[in-house]
Amino acid sequence: MMPLYSLKKHLALPKTSWQLCLLAAIGGIASAGLIILFTASIDFIQQWYLPQKEDYTSLDVLSRFHLPIIGALLILLFAKVTGFEYLRTGIPFVLHRLKVAHGVIPVRNTLNQFVGSVLSLASGFSVGREGPAVHLGAACSSFIGSYLKLPHNAIRTLCACGIAAGISATFNTPLAAVIFVMEVIMREYKVHVFIPVMIASIIGSVITSHVFGPSHKFEYFSKIAINVADYPLVIVLGLLLGVIAFTFNRYLTLIIKHSSQYHIVSRFLTAAIITGALGAIIPHAMGTDITAIAFAIDSNVQYQLLLGLVVAKFVMSIVALGLGIPGGIIGPIVSIGAISGVCVAAMSNQLFMQDALLTDYALMGMAGFMAATLNAPLAALIAVVELSNQLEIIVPAMVVITTASLTSGQLFGNRSVLVMQLEVQGLIYRHPPIEKSLQRIGAMGVMHESLTIISPSNDSSYIETINNAPADNFVIVKSNPPDATFTLLLPQHAALSDSPPIVKQHQLKPLSYQVSLAQAYALLKDTREGGVYLYDTNKDNIVGVLMFEQIRYYLIEGKTN
């Protein structure tokens, strides 16, 4: 194994390497282990009051009403111990941390994500498991990078690897996890990121498959029977899903916006009371996506009851997520889409005497609604393919995805619900194109390391030092304490050939060796000259120099040297 310093330099460059893949694998193992503990914790709690997981119909009406309230009070109690300011969790929070902290997740937020989501999922709130999976996976892998003090660009990649491992471990969908990370989280496809993300995703799936078994939680989907003659109904479903997706995103963000003025205790209790009241009437709407979808598909119910289930699930989901209950958004999205698809199929069968297969339209609903709400058509397509284990679903799923996405985006101007959540919460997430490009490269990978450091003296000794220094050395003057600044001396061509060189001085600004070119550019972009010095541990321990000309060369030429 190469020394840690050499490893850091190697990982600072945007190249595929076995070292990064090894770290991704370690992060994937840690993420999968945490997801197993997370899942086991939910099952352990539910076994005390449910004869079967997620079976809230076994509880009486009063118990279904009380359960979310008890869960909300326990979440608030734990949050009070850790600090209410650390209650921000989930995918939007991870996207924000990727922007402001290179993917490093605070420990207290992670604790609240774990405990809060276990309690909310165990007490019947309509939230999903993928939000906690993303957060916990990101926290595990980014912790490894932070502990080793790797360059920030490498920590960002490890964060993406942990997210993929967490999703893959939760749903046993390794390919969909990779596509989700590249399309929704990173929003770019780069080979040096794609390969370690894929490795982490594979490891997450393999580990949890060994523990929980290789099957998906949606094993009740039968062989798809949709043909070209059914496409008109599929298109109608896509149009309807586009409208529902717009409504879902809009009202979820409105609740987040207008509820922010109220205390977290009031918000949580309001969400609990609404969830309990609706759960008392329609118990199948409680909990994650599995219960509601199984009921819609397996039970021979009238479409009026399915409409009621859709409305209840819709309201419970936007209330719980909008008022801050810890949990994911994709689970409710999948559930609402699937029930909507079943409802359309049931209405068609009953009103027009057709024989549409309910499971087919459940899958179509999942694909279309997920694509329209998240603005992630490819991730939605791959997800339904993996969940159904059927390649035949690709073409009809593409039809419903394009229809739903066009309706939602073109007619209503709908965008990704995750982006809308970030904006309404005032969380920074956007990367300007220059910054996004420069973030891929660690400053440590391209810095000048051949340095000659001298103490303050007169100008003539500066020229003598420069003349005597090796050609590839940078001569730097270190001032005396207490300010202890570094000044770079660069010889300039003299006006006359027989004149001594003119020495130009550049005050160097300090930055940690972990930074990317983006942070160095942010310091130098106003003057557009000079450079920064990179230090390790403390500002006196200089390890290299990075000049603005190097950044300019990369932006123009697309390469570092």
Side-chain angles (χ1 to χ4, degrees):
M1 174 69 73
M2 62 175 61
L4 185 58
Y5 181 81
S6 299
L7 172 65
K8 294 174 183 178
K9 282 199 63 180
H10 188 76
L11 296 180
L13 297 173
K15 297 179 180 178
T16 304
S17 65
W18 68 265
Q19 295 91 348
L20 185 58
C21 291
L22 177 60
L23 291 173
I26 295 171
I29 294 170
S31 300
L34 192 57
I35 294 300
I36 291 171
L37 179 61
F38 176 77
T39 304
S41 299
I42 297 171
D43 295 343
F44 177 78
I45 294 175
Q46 286 191 339
Q47 74 176 358
W48 291 98
Y49 51 88
L50 295 179
Q52 187 176 352
K53 289 188 298 183
E54 304 290 334
D55 183 17
Y56 296 98
T57 58
S58 61
L59 298 176
D60 58 67
V61 172
L62 195 59
S63 297
R64 291 199 297 270
F65 179 74
H66 286 156
L67 186 59
I69 297 175
I70 295 171
L73 291 174
L74 291 175
I75 296 170
L76 289 169
L77 178 62
F78 185 81
K80 183 174 178 60
V81 173
T82 58
F84 286 131
E85 65 271 23
Y86 295 101
L87 260 176
R88 286 194 186 275
T89 57
I91 301 176
F93 180 71
V94 172
L95 288 171
H96 171 65
R97 294 298 296 182
L98 277 168
K99 164 64 179 175
V100 303
H102 324 289
V104 178
I105 312 294
V107 174
R108 292 194 191 182
N109 290 86
T110 304
L111 289 174
N112 273 297
Q113 177 71 92
F114 187 97
V115 176
S117 296
V118 166
L119 292 171
S120 63
L121 286 162
S123 55
F125 283 100
S126 182
V127 294
R129 301 190 181 208
E130 77 298 322
V134 167
H135 188 132
L136 297 175
C140 276
S141 289
S142 64
F143 174 78
I144 295 172
S146 300
Y147 179 78
L148 296 175
K149 296 184 178 179
L150 299 180
H152 290 159
N153 63 312
I155 295 177
R156 283 172 54 84
T157 301
L158 289 178
C159 180
C161 294
I163 293 170
I167 296 175
S168 180
T170 303
F171 298 102
N172 193 20
T173 53
L175 182 55
V178 172
I179 299 301
F180 179 84
V181 167
M182 307 309 288
E183 187 176 34
V184 177
I185 304 298
M186 304 301 287
R187 287 181 284 181
E188 63 176 357
Y189 290 84
K190 297 293 180 184
V191 174
H192 72 277
V193 177
F194 192 88
I195 291 177
V197 165
M198 189 182 299
I199 290 173
S201 181
I202 293 169
I203 288 176
S205 177
V206 168
I207 291 176
T208 51
S209 294
H210 180 73
V211 175
F212 299 120
S215 63
H216 297 288
K217 294 176 180 177
F218 301 99
E219 57 274 351
Y220 38 70
F221 289 125
S222 56
K223 188 71 174 177
I224 190 166
I226 291 179
N227 53 48
V228 176
D230 298 315
Y231 283 6
L233 185 58
V234 172
I235 292 173
V236 170
L237 174 60
L239 294 170
L240 178 63
L241 292 173
V243 176
I244 300 175
F246 163 72
T247 308
F248 182 89
N249 289 11
R250 178 174 176 79
Y251 281 99
L252 174 60
T253 51
L254 282 176
I255 291 174
I256 293 173
K257 179 180 180 180
H258 294 296
S259 65
S260 60
Q261 58 186 308
Y262 300 104
H263 193 271
I264 190 68
V265 175
S266 301
R267 284 185 277 155
F268 273 40
L269 290 179
T270 301
I273 291 171
I274 293 174
T275 298
L278 289 174
I281 301 170
I282 308 177
H284 293 98
M286 296 182 72
T288 59
D289 49 334
I290 302 170
T291 305
I293 297 175
F295 172 75
I297 293 174
D298 294 341
S299 301
N300 188 19
V301 297
Q302 298 293 317
Y303 68 85
Q304 293 90 341
L305 180 56
L306 290 173
L307 282 173
L309 181 59
V310 169
V311 172
K313 195 69 178 175
F314 186 98
V315 173
M316 290 168 69
S317 299
I318 62 172
V319 166
L321 295 167
L323 295 178
I325 297 296
I329 193 172
I330 298 178
I333 286 173
V334 167
S335 181
I336 294 169
I339 303 168
S340 299
V342 173
C343 188
V344 168
M347 290 177 66
S348 176
N349 290 345
Q350 188 167 336
L351 299 178
F352 303 108
M353 304 301 292
Q354 294 186 347
D355 57 351
L357 196 60
L358 298 184
T359 55
D360 289 358
Y361 287 86
L363 285 169
M364 295 300 102
M366 290 165 58
F369 197 61
M370 182 177 174
T373 50
L374 297 178
N375 195 24
L378 185 57
L381 176 62
I382 300 300
V384 294
V385 170
E386 282 197 292
L387 288 172
S388 65
N389 287 320
Q390 299 182 60
L391 293 177
E392 295 83 1
I393 198 176
I394 291 177
V395 175
M398 290 172 68
V399 172
V400 74
I401 285 171
T402 52
T403 307
S405 297
L406 283 173
T407 302
S408 176
Q410 190 76 20
L411 295 184
F412 299 104
N414 197 31
R415 295 174 297 149
S416 168
V417 67
L418 302 176
V419 170
M420 295 173 70
Q421 284 181 276
L422 285 163
E423 290 179 348
V424 77
Q425 291 174 343
L427 298 177
I428 302 172
Y429 71 97
R430 290 188 181 276
H431 296 276
I434 288 180
E435 179 183 336
K436 193 168 185 177
S437 175
L438 295 176
Q439 276 187 337
R440 302 185 190 117
I441 303 177
M444 188 181 189
V446 296
M447 66 183 179
H448 290 289
E449 296 181 272
S450 299
L451 309 174
T452 299
I453 300 177
I454 61 175
S455 300
S457 184
N458 55 60
D459 291 341
S460 60
S461 67
Y462 288 168
I463 296 174
E464 182 179 349
T465 302
I466 291 173
N467 290 333
N468 293 333
D472 60 344
N473 269 32
F474 275 11
V475 177
I476 295 174
V477 180
K478 179 181 179 182
S479 65
N480 293 321
D483 52 348
T485 59
F486 292 89
T487 304
L488 176 66
L489 305 180
L490 287 179
Q492 308 291 313
H493 292 293
L496 300 174
S497 58
D498 57 348
S499 301
I502 301 170
V503 177
K504 188 171 183 179
Q505 301 186 18
H506 294 283
Q507 187 76 32
L508 298 175
K509 301 176 181 181
L511 279 176
S512 167
Y513 72 87
Q514 292 181 270
V515 302
S516 65
L517 294 188
Q519 291 148 291
Y521 175 81
L523 275 183
L524 302 173
K525 64 181 180 181
D526 292 332
T527 58
R528 295 188 175 271
E529 64 174 6
V532 298
Y533 74 87
L534 306 177
Y535 63 86
D536 182 10
T537 307
N538 62 72
K539 293 183 179 181
D540 288 336
N541 187 15
I542 182 171
V543 296
V545 171
L546 177 70
M547 303 301 295
F548 182 78
E549 282 303 317
Q550 293 174 266
I551 302 175
R552 190 203 306 273
Y553 180 79
Y554 173 73
L555 291 174
I556 295 174
E557 301 294 334
K559 53 186 180 180
T560 55
N561 51 54

